[in-house]
Amino acid sequence: MSKILSFFGILVLMNCGSTQMVETKNVPDQANPGGPEGVKGSVVEEVPKGVNAVGTELGFTDAERVGDIMKYLASDDLKGRDSGSEGIEIAAKYIENYLKSYQVAPYFDTYRDTLSNYKKTSYNIVGIVEGSDPVLKDEYILVGAHYDHIGIIKIENGDAIANGANDNASGTTAVMELARYFGKNRTNKRSLIFVLFSAEEKGLLGSKHLAKKLKEQELNLYTMLNFEMIGVPLLGKDYLVYATGYKKSNFADVNNKYAGENLVGYLQRAREYGLFQRSDNYPFYQEFGVPCHTYCTFDFTNFEYYHKVGDEVEEMDFDHMATLINKMLPVVEKIANAPMKEIKMN
């Protein structure tokens, strides 16, 4: 995420269930991520679909599960997940183990896509759930978020770790849970590529690298769905999440039709501050010229810790996140299964 000038001075701006985790110990261990969740000592029990361990109805994911993933990714032991650091290496192993656990295959020979445009060795993590339709499976939907953050920064109140809970462990969690759903259920006719990008904070380098690479390989990309800073809810809006680049395509209209409600809305400030160009959707839009948008719930008034040490899991709303992920599942499923490409550029 970058910084730009606002009307008031310098304003930091973003580049902008079938299972339940019954018991986990959120202690990152670089040598032994361990367990199907990548958490050392984790225990995951299968419970009947649609209920949690005590029989209460719930969606595919819930606040407890979301919270466990978030607490791992934004823990102090990962030291802010700076690209090329030991901390982000722990995160990478965790995500790889997670995808593997839910039968999401590596897109390349391994899950790791090594960046060619950054000085430190850094990786995008890329998985795929192949589509079931013999024709539609050759059309691809990319679901992404960046998992890097800014690492160690200036000490504030004795803390120098920029944990990056909202930015962007929140989006990473959403992509991981979507991958879990499709990896387990295989309900997609089009192929789904799940990507966790590195070096977004260095200038969208991970997404620039991968977009160029996939374009050279002539990937038939239908659309790109990016998740960025979804850890706290919007206030005073009649929609749950906004889409950057709202007017560039009919993306929001199709999302809302598939959701059966006003799920995705328009935020004027997103246009004013050029958020469409400031997150990992943009390189794919540039390379492919297809609808590529970011879902976000950061609106400049509901979160005060952007690129600060205060971006901690304690500030996150896990119920909101679980609700958003659960509502996005049928939307992504219908995008993947529609007979024709309904999302089109304006």
Side-chain angles (χ1 to χ4, degrees), residues 20-45 64-75 77-78 89-102 173 176-177:
Q20 181 187 9
M21 189 174 295
V22 177
E23 176 190 356
T24 59
K25 299 177 182 178
N26 293 290
V27 182
D29 184 327
Q30 184 175 6
N32 178 20
E37 303 305 305
V39 181
K40 184 180 180 183
S42 68
V43 177
V44 180
E45 296 180 5
E64 181 180 1
R65 186 178 186 99
V66 166
D68 282 325
I69 298 170
M70 288 287 290
K71 290 169 188 174
Y72 188 94
L73 291 171
S75 67
D77 288 350
L78 271 64
E89 172 63 18
I90 299 172
K93 289 180 179 178
Y94 172 69
I95 296 166
E96 287 176 307
N97 286 346
Y98 196 94
L99 297 180
K100 184 177 180 180
S101 295
Y102 294 108
T173 299
M176 290 171 65
E177 285 292 80

Side-chain angles (χ1 to χ4, degrees), residues 243-249 251 270-271 275-276 281 292-294:
T244 65
Y246 183 95
K247 297 183 179 181
K248 292 186 178 295
S249 77
F251 181 80
R271 185 177 185 183
L275 300 194
F276 180 71
N281 60 288
C292 300
H293 299 267
T294 291

Side-chain angles (χ1 to χ4, degrees), residues 5 37 47 64 75 82 89 96 117 130 138 250 284 346:
L5 296 179
E37 303 305 305
V47 296
E64 181 180 1
S75 67
D82 196 9
E89 172 63 18
E96 287 176 307
N117 55 355
E130 186 177 28
D138 293 329
N250 65 341
F284 290 90
N346 289 331

Side-chain angles (χ1 to χ4, degrees), residues 166-180:
N166 200 20
D167 183 14
N168 186 32
S170 64
T172 299
T173 299
V175 173
M176 290 171 65
E177 285 292 80
L178 287 164
R180 177 172 72 95

